[in-house]
Every structure is written in C-alpha cells, then in structure tokens.
Coordinates of all heavy atoms in Angstrom, one line a residue:
S1 N 101.9 76.5 128.0 CA 101.5 75.6 126.9 C 100.0 75.7 126.7 O 99.2 75.7 127.7 CB 101.9 74.2 127.2 OG 101.2 73.6 128.2
G2 N 99.6 75.7 125.5 CA 98.2 75.8 125.2 C 97.5 77.0 125.8 O 97.9 78.1 125.6
D3 N 96.4 76.7 126.4 CA 95.6 77.8 127.0 C 95.9 78.0 128.5 O 95.1 78.5 129.3 CB 94.1 77.6 126.8 CG 93.7 77.8 125.4 OD1 94.4 78.6 124.7 OD2 92.8 77.1 124.9
S4 N 97.0 77.5 129.0 CA 97.3 77.7 130.4 C 97.7 79.1 130.7 O 98.1 79.8 129.8 CB 98.4 76.7 130.8 OG 99.6 77.0 130.1
G5 N 97.6 79.5 131.9 CA 97.9 80.8 132.4 C 96.7 81.7 132.5 O 95.6 81.4 132.1
P6 N 97.0 82.9 133.1 CA 95.8 83.8 133.3 C 95.3 84.4 132.0 O 96.1 84.5 131.0 CB 96.4 84.9 134.2 CG 97.9 84.9 133.9 CD 98.2 83.4 133.5
V7 N 94.1 84.9 132.0 CA 93.6 85.5 130.8 C 94.3 86.8 130.6 O 94.9 87.4 131.6 CB 92.0 85.8 131.0 CG1 91.3 84.5 131.0 CG2 91.8 86.6 132.2
P8 N 94.4 87.3 129.4 CA 95.3 88.5 129.1 C 95.0 89.7 130.0 O 96.0 90.3 130.4 CB 94.9 88.8 127.6 CG 94.4 87.5 127.1 CD 93.7 86.8 128.2
G9 N 93.8 90.0 130.3 CA 93.5 91.2 131.1 C 94.1 91.1 132.5 O 94.7 92.0 133.0
V10 N 94.0 89.9 133.0 CA 94.6 89.6 134.4 C 96.1 89.7 134.3 O 96.7 90.2 135.2 CB 94.1 88.2 134.9 CG1 94.8 87.8 136.2 CG2 92.6 88.2 135.1
F11 N 96.7 89.1 133.2 CA 98.1 89.1 133.1 C 98.6 90.6 133.0 O 99.6 90.9 133.6 CB 98.5 88.3 131.9 CG 100.0 88.1 131.8 CD1 100.6 87.3 132.7 CD2 100.7 88.6 130.8 CE1 102.0 87.0 132.6 CE2 102.1 88.4 130.7 CZ 102.7 87.6 131.6
V12 N 98.0 91.4 132.2 CA 98.4 92.8 132.1 C 98.2 93.5 133.5 O 99.1 94.2 133.9 CB 97.5 93.5 131.1 CG1 97.7 95.0 131.1 CG2 97.8 93.0 129.7
D13 N 97.2 93.2 134.2 CA 97.0 93.8 135.5 C 98.1 93.4 136.5 O 98.6 94.2 137.3 CB 95.6 93.4 136.1 CG 94.5 94.1 135.4 OD1 94.7 95.2 134.8 OD2 93.3 93.6 135.5
H14 N 98.5 92.1 136.4 CA 99.6 91.6 137.2 C 100.9 92.3 136.9 O 101.7 92.6 137.8 CB 99.8 90.1 137.1 CG 98.7 89.3 137.8 ND1 98.2 89.6 139.1 CD2 98.1 88.2 137.5 CE1 97.3 88.7 139.4 NE2 97.2 87.8 138.5
L15 N 101.2 92.5 135.6 CA 102.4 93.3 135.2 C 102.4 94.7 135.8 O 103.4 95.2 136.4 CB 102.5 93.4 133.7 CG 102.9 92.1 133.0 CD1 102.8 92.4 131.5 CD2 104.3 91.8 133.3
V16 N 101.2 95.4 135.8 CA 101.1 96.7 136.3 C 101.3 96.7 137.8 O 102.0 97.5 138.4 CB 99.8 97.3 135.9 CG1 99.5 98.6 136.6 CG2 99.7 97.5 134.4
D17 N 100.6 95.7 138.5 CA 100.8 95.6 140.0 C 102.2 95.4 140.4 O 102.7 95.9 141.4 CB 99.9 94.5 140.5 CG 98.4 94.9 140.4 OD1 98.1 96.1 140.3 OD2 97.5 94.0 140.5
C18 N 102.9 94.5 139.6 CA 104.3 94.2 139.9 C 105.1 95.4 139.8 O 106.0 95.7 140.6 CB 104.7 93.0 139.0 SG 106.4 92.5 139.4
A19 N 104.9 96.2 138.8 CA 105.7 97.4 138.5 C 105.5 98.4 139.7 O 106.4 99.0 140.2 CB 105.3 98.0 137.2
K20 N 104.3 98.5 140.1 CA 104.0 99.4 141.2 C 104.6 98.9 142.5 O 105.2 99.7 143.3 CB 102.5 99.6 141.4 CG 101.8 100.4 140.4 CD 100.3 100.5 140.6 CE 99.6 101.2 139.4 NZ 98.2 101.2 139.5
R21 N 104.5 97.6 142.8 CA 105.0 97.0 144.0 C 106.5 97.2 144.1 O 107.0 97.5 145.2 CB 104.7 95.6 144.1 CG 105.1 94.9 145.4 CD 104.7 93.4 145.5 NE 103.3 93.3 145.2 CZ 102.7 92.3 144.6 NH1 103.5 91.3 144.2 NH2 101.4 92.2 144.4
F22 N 107.2 97.0 143.0 CA 108.7 97.1 143.1 C 109.2 98.5 142.6 O 110.4 98.6 142.4 CB 109.3 96.0 142.3 CG 109.0 94.6 142.9 CD1 108.1 93.8 142.4 CD2 109.7 94.3 144.1 CE1 107.8 92.6 143.0 CE2 109.4 93.0 144.7 CZ 108.5 92.2 144.1
D23 N 108.3 99.4 142.4 CA 108.6 100.8 142.1 C 109.5 100.9 140.8 O 110.6 101.5 140.9 CB 109.3 101.5 143.3 CG 109.3 103.0 143.1 OD1 108.3 103.5 142.5 OD2 110.2 103.6 143.6
F24 N 109.1 100.3 139.7 CA 109.8 100.6 138.5 C 108.8 101.0 137.4 O 107.6 100.6 137.5 CB 110.6 99.4 138.0 CG 109.9 98.1 137.7 CD1 109.4 97.9 136.4 CD2 109.6 97.2 138.6 CE1 108.8 96.8 136.0 CE2 108.9 96.0 138.3 CZ 108.5 95.8 137.0
E25 N 109.3 101.7 136.4 CA 108.4 102.2 135.4 C 108.2 101.1 134.4 O 109.1 100.5 133.9 CB 109.0 103.4 134.7 CG 108.1 104.1 133.7 CD 108.8 105.3 133.1 OE1 109.7 105.9 133.7 OE2 108.4 105.7 132.0
L26 N 106.9 100.9 134.1 CA 106.5 99.9 133.1 C 106.3 100.6 131.8 O 105.4 101.4 131.6 CB 105.3 99.2 133.5 CG 104.9 97.9 132.8 CD1 106.0 96.9 132.8 CD2 103.6 97.3 133.4
E27 N 107.1 100.3 130.8 CA 107.1 101.0 129.5 C 106.1 100.2 128.6 O 105.9 99.0 128.7 CB 108.4 101.0 128.8 CG 109.4 101.8 129.6 CD 110.8 101.9 129.0 OE1 110.9 101.6 127.8 OE2 111.7 102.3 129.7
S28 N 105.5 101.0 127.7 CA 104.5 100.4 126.8 C 105.1 99.3 125.9 O 104.4 98.5 125.3 CB 103.8 101.5 125.9 OG 104.8 102.1 125.1
Q29 N 106.4 99.4 125.7 CA 107.1 98.4 124.9 C 106.8 96.9 125.4 O 106.7 96.0 124.6 CB 108.6 98.7 124.8 CG 109.3 97.8 123.8 CD 110.8 98.3 123.7 OE1 111.3 99.0 124.5 NE2 111.4 97.9 122.6
V30 N 106.7 96.8 126.7 CA 106.5 95.5 127.3 C 105.1 95.0 126.8 O 105.0 93.8 126.5 CB 106.5 95.6 128.8 CG1 106.0 94.3 129.5 CG2 107.9 96.0 129.3
F31 N 104.1 95.8 126.8 CA 102.8 95.4 126.3 C 102.8 95.1 124.8 O 102.1 94.2 124.4 CB 101.8 96.5 126.6 CG 101.6 96.7 128.1 CD1 102.0 97.9 128.7 CD2 101.1 95.7 128.9 CE1 101.9 98.1 130.0 CE2 101.0 95.9 130.3 CZ 101.4 97.1 130.9
G32 N 103.6 95.8 124.1 CA 103.8 95.5 122.6 C 104.4 94.1 122.4 O 103.9 93.3 121.6
Y33 N 105.4 93.7 123.2 CA 105.9 92.4 123.2 C 104.9 91.3 123.5 O 104.8 90.3 122.9 CB 107.2 92.3 124.1 CG 108.4 93.1 123.6 CD1 109.2 93.6 124.6 CD2 108.6 93.4 122.3 CE1 110.3 94.4 124.2 CE2 109.7 94.1 121.9 CZ 110.6 94.6 122.9 OH 111.7 95.3 122.5
L34 N 104.1 91.6 124.6 CA 103.1 90.7 125.0 C 102.1 90.5 123.9 O 101.7 89.4 123.6 CB 102.4 91.2 126.3 CG 101.4 90.3 126.9 CD1 101.9 88.9 127.2 CD2 100.8 91.0 128.1
L35 N 101.6 91.6 123.3 CA 100.7 91.6 122.2 C 101.2 90.8 121.0 O 100.5 89.9 120.5 CB 100.4 93.0 121.8 CG 99.4 93.2 120.6 CD1 98.0 92.7 121.0 CD2 99.3 94.7 120.3
N36 N 102.4 91.0 120.7 CA 103.1 90.3 119.6 C 103.2 88.8 119.9 O 103.0 87.9 119.1 CB 104.5 90.8 119.3 CG 105.1 90.2 118.1 OD1 104.4 90.0 117.1 ND2 106.4 89.9 118.2
S37 N 103.4 88.4 121.2 CA 103.5 87.0 121.6 C 102.2 86.3 121.4 O 102.2 85.2 121.0 CB 104.0 86.9 123.0 OG 105.3 87.5 123.2
Y38 N 101.1 87.0 121.8 CA 99.8 86.4 121.6 C 99.5 86.1 120.1 O 99.0 85.1 119.8 CB 98.7 87.2 122.2 CG 98.6 87.1 123.7 CD1 98.6 88.2 124.5 CD2 98.4 85.8 124.3 CE1 98.5 88.1 125.9 CE2 98.3 85.7 125.7 CZ 98.3 86.9 126.5 OH 98.2 86.7 127.8
V39 N 99.9 87.1 119.3 CA 99.6 86.9 117.8 C 100.4 85.7 117.3 O 99.9 84.9 116.6 CB 99.9 88.2 117.1 CG1 99.9 88.0 115.6 CG2 99.0 89.3 117.5
R40 N 101.7 85.7 117.7 CA 102.6 84.6 117.2 C 102.2 83.3 117.7 O 102.4 82.3 117.0 CB 104.0 84.9 117.5 CG 104.5 86.2 116.9 CD 106.0 86.4 117.1 NE 106.6 85.7 116.1 CZ 107.9 85.6 116.0 NH1 108.7 86.2 116.9 NH2 108.5 85.0 115.0
A41 N 101.5 83.2 118.8 CA 101.1 81.9 119.4 C 99.7 81.6 118.8 O 99.0 80.6 119.3 CB 101.0 82.0 120.9
N42 N 99.2 82.3 117.9 CA 97.8 82.1 117.3 C 96.7 82.2 118.3 O 95.7 81.6 118.2 CB 97.8 80.8 116.6 CG 98.6 80.8 115.3 OD1 98.6 81.7 114.6 ND2 99.3 79.7 115.1
R43 N 96.9 83.1 119.3 CA 95.9 83.4 120.3 C 95.3 84.8 120.0 O 95.5 85.7 120.8 CB 96.5 83.2 121.7 CG 96.9 81.8 122.0 CD 97.5 81.6 123.3 NE 96.5 81.8 124.3 CZ 96.8 81.7 125.6 NH1 98.0 81.4 126.1 NH2 95.8 81.9 126.5
I44 N 94.6 84.9 119.0 CA 94.2 86.2 118.5 C 93.2 86.8 119.4 O 93.3 88.0 119.7 CB 93.6 86.1 117.0 CG1 94.6 85.5 116.1 CG2 93.1 87.4 116.5 CD1 95.9 86.3 116.0
E45 N 92.2 86.1 119.9 CA 91.3 86.6 120.9 C 92.0 87.2 122.1 O 91.7 88.2 122.7 CB 90.2 85.6 121.3 CG 89.3 85.2 120.2 CD 88.5 86.4 119.6 OE1 88.1 87.3 120.4 OE2 88.2 86.3 118.4
C46 N 93.0 86.5 122.6 CA 93.8 86.9 123.7 C 94.6 88.2 123.3 O 94.7 89.1 124.2 CB 94.8 85.8 124.1 SG 94.1 84.4 124.9
A47 N 95.1 88.3 122.1 CA 95.8 89.5 121.7 C 94.8 90.7 121.7 O 95.2 91.8 122.1 CB 96.3 89.3 120.3
I48 N 93.6 90.5 121.2 CA 92.6 91.6 121.2 C 92.3 92.0 122.7 O 92.2 93.2 123.0 CB 91.3 91.1 120.5 CG1 91.6 90.9 119.0 CG2 90.2 92.2 120.7 CD1 90.5 90.3 118.2
D49 N 92.1 91.0 123.6 CA 91.9 91.3 125.0 C 93.0 92.1 125.6 O 92.8 93.0 126.4 CB 91.6 90.0 125.8 CG 90.3 89.4 125.4 OD1 89.4 90.0 124.7 OD2 90.1 88.2 125.7
C50 N 94.2 91.6 125.3 CA 95.4 92.3 125.8 C 95.5 93.7 125.3 O 95.7 94.7 126.1 CB 96.7 91.5 125.3 SG 98.2 92.3 125.8
F51 N 95.2 93.9 124.0 CA 95.2 95.3 123.5 C 94.2 96.2 124.1 O 94.5 97.3 124.5 CB 95.0 95.2 122.0 CG 94.9 96.5 121.3 CD1 96.0 97.2 121.0 CD2 93.7 97.0 120.9 CE1 95.9 98.5 120.4 CE2 93.6 98.2 120.3 CZ 94.7 99.0 120.0
T52 N 93.0 95.6 124.3 CA 91.9 96.4 124.9 C 92.3 96.8 126.3 O 92.1 98.0 126.8 CB 90.6 95.6 124.9 OG1 90.3 95.3 123.5 CG2 89.5 96.4 125.5
R53 N 92.8 95.9 127.1 CA 93.2 96.2 128.5 C 94.3 97.2 128.6 O 94.3 98.1 129.5 CB 93.6 94.9 129.2 CG 93.8 95.1 130.7 CD 92.6 95.6 131.4 NE 92.9 95.9 132.8 CZ 92.4 96.9 133.5 NH1 91.6 97.7 132.9 NH2 92.8 97.1 134.7
T54 N 95.3 97.1 127.7 CA 96.4 98.1 127.8 C 95.8 99.5 127.5 O 96.3 100.4 128.1 CB 97.5 97.7 126.8 OG1 97.0 97.6 125.5 CG2 98.2 96.4 127.2
L55 N 94.9 99.6 126.6 CA 94.3 100.9 126.3 C 93.5 101.4 127.5 O 93.6 102.6 127.8 CB 93.4 100.9 125.1 CG 94.1 100.6 123.7 CD1 93.0 100.6 122.6 CD2 95.2 101.6 123.5
E56 N 92.8 100.5 128.2 CA 92.1 101.0 129.4 C 93.1 101.5 130.4 O 92.7 102.4 131.2 CB 91.3 99.8 129.9 CG 90.2 99.3 129.1 CD 89.6 98.0 129.5 OE1 90.1 97.4 130.5 OE2 88.5 97.6 128.9
L57 N 94.3 101.0 130.5 CA 95.3 101.5 131.4 C 96.1 102.6 130.9 O 97.1 103.0 131.5 CB 96.2 100.3 131.8 CG 95.5 99.1 132.5 CD1 96.5 98.0 132.6 CD2 95.1 99.6 133.9
E58 N 95.7 103.1 129.7 CA 96.4 104.2 129.0 C 97.9 103.9 128.8 O 98.8 104.7 128.8 CB 96.3 105.5 129.8 CG 94.8 105.9 129.9 CD 94.7 107.2 130.6 OE1 95.7 107.8 131.1 OE2 93.5 107.7 130.8
M59 N 98.1 102.6 128.4 CA 99.5 102.2 128.0 C 99.3 101.8 126.5 O 98.4 100.9 126.2 CB 99.9 100.9 128.8 CG 100.1 101.2 130.2 SD 101.5 102.3 130.6 CE 102.9 101.4 130.1
Y60 N 100.0 102.4 125.6 CA 99.7 102.3 124.2 C 100.9 101.5 123.5 O 102.0 102.0 123.5 CB 99.5 103.6 123.6 CG 98.4 104.4 124.2 CD1 98.7 105.4 125.2 CD2 97.1 104.1 123.9 CE1 97.7 106.1 125.8 CE2 96.1 104.8 124.6 CZ 96.4 105.8 125.5 OH 95.4 106.5 126.1
P61 N 100.6 100.3 123.0 CA 101.6 99.6 122.3 C 102.1 100.4 121.1 O 101.2 101.1 120.5 CB 101.0 98.3 121.9 CG 99.7 98.2 122.7 CD 99.3 99.6 123.1
C62 N 103.3 100.2 120.6 CA 103.8 101.0 119.5 C 103.0 100.5 118.2 O 102.4 99.4 118.2 CB 105.3 100.9 119.3 SG 105.9 99.3 118.7
V63 N 103.0 101.3 117.2 CA 102.3 101.1 116.0 C 102.7 99.8 115.3 O 101.8 99.1 114.8 CB 102.5 102.3 115.0 CG1 101.9 102.0 113.7 CG2 102.0 103.6 115.6
T64 N 103.9 99.4 115.4 CA 104.4 98.2 114.8 C 103.6 97.0 115.3 O 103.1 96.2 114.5 CB 105.9 98.0 115.1 OG1 106.6 99.1 114.6 CG2 106.4 96.7 114.5
Y65 N 103.4 96.9 116.6 CA 102.7 95.7 117.2 C 101.2 95.8 116.9 O 100.6 94.7 116.7 CB 103.0 95.6 118.7 CG 104.5 95.3 118.9 CD1 105.3 96.2 119.6 CD2 105.1 94.2 118.4 CE1 106.6 96.0 119.8 CE2 106.4 93.9 118.6 CZ 107.2 94.9 119.3 OH 108.5 94.6 119.5
V66 N 100.7 97.0 116.9 CA 99.2 97.1 116.5 C 99.0 96.7 115.1 O 98.1 96.0 114.8 CB 98.7 98.6 116.8 CG1 97.3 98.7 116.3 CG2 98.9 98.9 118.3
N67 N 100.0 97.1 114.2 CA 99.9 96.7 112.8 C 100.0 95.2 112.6 O 99.3 94.6 111.8 CB 100.9 97.4 112.0 CG 100.6 98.8 111.7 OD1 99.4 99.2 111.8 ND2 101.6 99.6 111.3
I68 N 100.8 94.5 113.4 CA 100.9 93.1 113.4 C 99.6 92.4 113.7 O 99.1 91.5 113.1 CB 102.0 92.6 114.3 CG1 103.4 93.0 113.8 CG2 101.9 91.1 114.6 CD1 104.6 92.8 114.7
L69 N 99.0 93.0 114.8 CA 97.6 92.4 115.2 C 96.6 92.7 114.1 O 95.9 91.8 113.7 CB 97.2 93.1 116.5 CG 95.8 92.8 116.9 CD1 95.6 91.3 117.1 CD2 95.4 93.5 118.2
L70 N 96.6 93.9 113.5 CA 95.6 94.2 112.5 C 95.8 93.4 111.2 O 94.9 92.9 110.6 CB 95.7 95.7 112.1 CG 95.2 96.7 113.1 CD1 95.6 98.1 112.7 CD2 93.7 96.6 113.3
T71 N 97.1 93.2 110.9 CA 97.4 92.3 109.7 C 96.9 90.9 109.9 O 96.3 90.3 109.0 CB 98.9 92.3 109.4 OG1 99.4 93.6 109.2 CG2 99.3 91.4 108.3
E72 N 97.1 90.4 111.1 CA 96.7 89.0 111.4 C 95.1 88.9 111.4 O 94.6 87.9 110.9 CB 97.2 88.5 112.7 CG 97.0 87.0 112.9 CD 97.6 86.1 111.9 OE1 98.7 86.5 111.3 OE2 97.1 85.0 111.6
L73 N 94.5 89.9 111.9 CA 93.0 89.9 111.8 C 92.5 89.9 110.4 O 91.6 89.2 110.1 CB 92.5 91.1 112.6 CG 92.6 91.1 114.1 CD1 92.3 92.4 114.7 CD2 91.8 89.9 114.7
V74 N 93.1 90.7 109.5 CA 92.7 90.8 108.1 C 93.0 89.4 107.5 O 92.1 88.9 106.7 CB 93.4 91.9 107.4 CG1 93.1 91.9 105.9 CG2 92.9 93.3 108.0
R75 N 94.1 88.8 107.7 CA 94.5 87.5 107.1 C 93.4 86.5 107.5 O 93.2 85.6 106.7 CB 95.8 87.1 107.6 CG 97.0 87.7 106.9 CD 98.3 87.1 107.4 NE 99.4 87.9 106.7 CZ 100.6 88.0 107.3 NH1 100.9 87.4 108.4 NH2 101.5 88.6 106.6
R76 N 92.9 86.6 108.7 CA 91.9 85.6 109.2 C 90.5 86.0 108.8 O 89.5 85.4 109.3 CB 92.0 85.4 110.7 CG 93.3 84.8 111.2 CD 93.4 84.9 112.7 NE 94.7 84.3 113.1 CZ 94.7 83.1 113.7 NH1 93.6 82.5 114.1 NH2 95.9 82.6 114.1
N77 N 90.4 87.0 108.0 CA 89.1 87.5 107.6 C 88.2 88.0 108.7 O 87.0 87.8 108.7 CB 88.3 86.5 106.7 CG 87.3 87.1 105.8 OD1 87.5 88.3 105.4 ND2 86.3 86.4 105.5
M78 N 88.8 88.5 109.8 CA 88.2 89.0 110.9 C 88.1 90.6 110.8 O 88.6 91.3 111.6 CB 88.9 88.6 112.2 CG 89.0 87.1 112.4 SD 90.0 86.7 113.8 CE 89.0 87.1 115.2
I79 N 87.4 91.0 109.7 CA 87.4 92.4 109.4 C 86.7 93.3 110.4 O 87.1 94.3 110.7 CB 86.7 92.6 108.0 CG1 87.4 91.7 106.9 CG2 86.7 94.0 107.6 CD1 88.9 91.9 106.8
G80 N 85.6 92.8 111.0 CA 84.9 93.5 112.0 C 85.8 93.8 113.2 O 85.8 94.9 113.8
E81 N 86.5 92.7 113.6 CA 87.4 92.9 114.8 C 88.6 93.8 114.4 O 89.0 94.6 115.3 CB 88.0 91.5 115.2 CG 87.0 90.6 115.8 CD 86.2 89.8 114.8 OE1 86.2 90.1 113.6 OE2 85.5 88.8 115.2
A82 N 89.0 93.8 113.2 CA 90.1 94.7 112.8 C 89.6 96.1 112.8 O 90.4 97.0 113.3 CB 90.6 94.3 111.4
Q83 N 88.4 96.4 112.3 CA 87.9 97.7 112.4 C 87.7 98.2 113.8 O 88.0 99.4 114.1 CB 86.5 97.8 111.7 CG 86.7 97.6 110.2 CD 85.3 97.5 109.5 OE1 84.3 97.0 110.0 NE2 85.3 98.0 108.2
E84 N 87.3 97.3 114.7 CA 87.1 97.6 116.1 C 88.5 98.0 116.7 O 88.6 99.0 117.4 CB 86.5 96.5 116.8 CG 85.8 96.8 118.1 CD 85.1 95.6 118.6 OE1 84.2 95.0 117.9 OE2 85.4 95.2 119.8
V85 N 89.5 97.2 116.5 CA 90.9 97.5 117.0 C 91.4 98.8 116.4 O 91.9 99.6 117.2 CB 91.8 96.3 116.7 CG1 93.3 96.7 116.9 CG2 91.5 95.1 117.5
Y86 N 91.2 99.0 115.1 CA 91.7 100.2 114.5 C 91.0 101.4 115.1 O 91.6 102.4 115.4 CB 91.4 100.2 113.0 CG 92.0 101.4 112.3 CD1 93.3 101.5 112.0 CD2 91.1 102.4 111.9 CE1 93.8 102.6 111.3 CE2 91.6 103.5 111.3 CZ 93.0 103.6 111.0 OH 93.4 104.7 110.4
G87 N 89.7 101.3 115.4 CA 89.0 102.4 116.0 C 89.4 102.7 117.4 O 89.4 103.9 117.8
K88 N 89.8 101.7 118.1 CA 90.2 101.9 119.5 C 91.6 102.5 119.6 O 91.8 103.2 120.6 CB 90.2 100.5 120.2 CG 88.9 100.0 120.6 CD 89.1 98.6 121.3 CE 87.8 98.0 121.6 NZ 87.9 96.7 122.2
R89 N 92.4 102.3 118.7 CA 93.8 102.7 118.8 C 93.9 104.2 118.6 O 95.0 104.8 118.9 CB 94.7 102.0 117.8 CG 94.4 102.4 116.3 CD 95.6 102.5 115.5 NE 95.3 103.0 114.2 CZ 95.3 104.3 113.9 NH1 95.6 105.2 114.8 NH2 95.0 104.7 112.7
L90 N 92.9 104.9 118.2 CA 93.0 106.4 118.0 C 93.0 107.1 119.3 O 92.6 107.0 120.2 CB 91.8 106.8 117.1 CG 91.9 106.3 115.7 CD1 90.6 106.7 114.9 CD2 93.1 106.7 114.9

C-alpha cells in the first residue's frame, strides 16, 4: 500500500537473486509486468527506476510495456523523461 516496499532497483535485484538461488530462468516478461504495475499504480518515478535497472541487468521489457510507460510520461507532460527512456531503450 502506498509507498511501502523496497525501491524498484532493490526489488528487481531481489527478483534476479531469487531466480539464481532457485535456479530458474527469469524472463523479461516478468519485468514488463512489474513496469506496468508501477505505471498503473501511478508510481511513475518507480517505473522509470525499474526500467533503468532492468536495462542495467540486460533484461529488456517488451515494447508494449515500454510504450505504456512512454505514453504515461507524455500524458503527464514529462517530455524530458520520455525522451530519456526512449533513448535508453535502444
């Protein structure tokens, strides 16, 4: 609820650590769902942090979820952030 829970980068790291510990493959679709969840919960800064961390780990959310994030950034008139996200996704 609200802002409880770990910051997005830490949460992503925990997902990766858990996958390694239990020896299962973590698909990028999981990160797409997480990214979408942050957007739907109106936690846009968290969504940007999540997106950035997944790219650092070379896990790429599918285009659909990146577009959802970009669309929400444009709706909120966060054009600079949208350009930054768009540039990172390449």
Side-chain angles (χ1 to χ4, degrees):
S1 70
D3 289 330
S4 63
V7 294
V10 172
F11 190 66
V12 169
D13 289 339
H14 285 320
L15 284 174
V16 171
D17 290 342
C18 185
K20 288 178 184 176
R21 183 177 308 146
F22 294 104
D23 195 33
F24 66 89
E25 187 176 338
L26 191 58
E27 297 183 17
S28 64
Q29 189 174 19
V30 171
F31 297 111
Y33 292 148
L34 180 60
L35 181 63
N36 187 44
S37 296
Y38 281 127
V39 172
R40 295 185 89 182
N42 291 319
R43 295 179 66 180
I44 301 305
E45 293 299 326
C46 290
I48 294 169
D49 292 344
C50 175
F51 177 75
T52 301
R53 185 63 186 138
T54 57
L55 293 183
E56 290 169 357
L57 295 171
E58 297 182 1
M59 299 292 292
Y60 304 99
C62 77
V63 174
T64 303
Y65 297 115
V66 176
N67 284 342
I68 289 169
L69 174 59
L70 289 170
T71 300
E72 190 59 31
L73 289 170
V74 170
R75 281 184 185 153
R76 292 171 180 251
N77 203 27
M78 298 172 74
I79 304 304
E81 291 85 346
Q83 289 173 329
E84 204 173 302
V85 166
Y86 182 80
K88 286 180 184 178
R89 67 144 188 89
L90 297 174

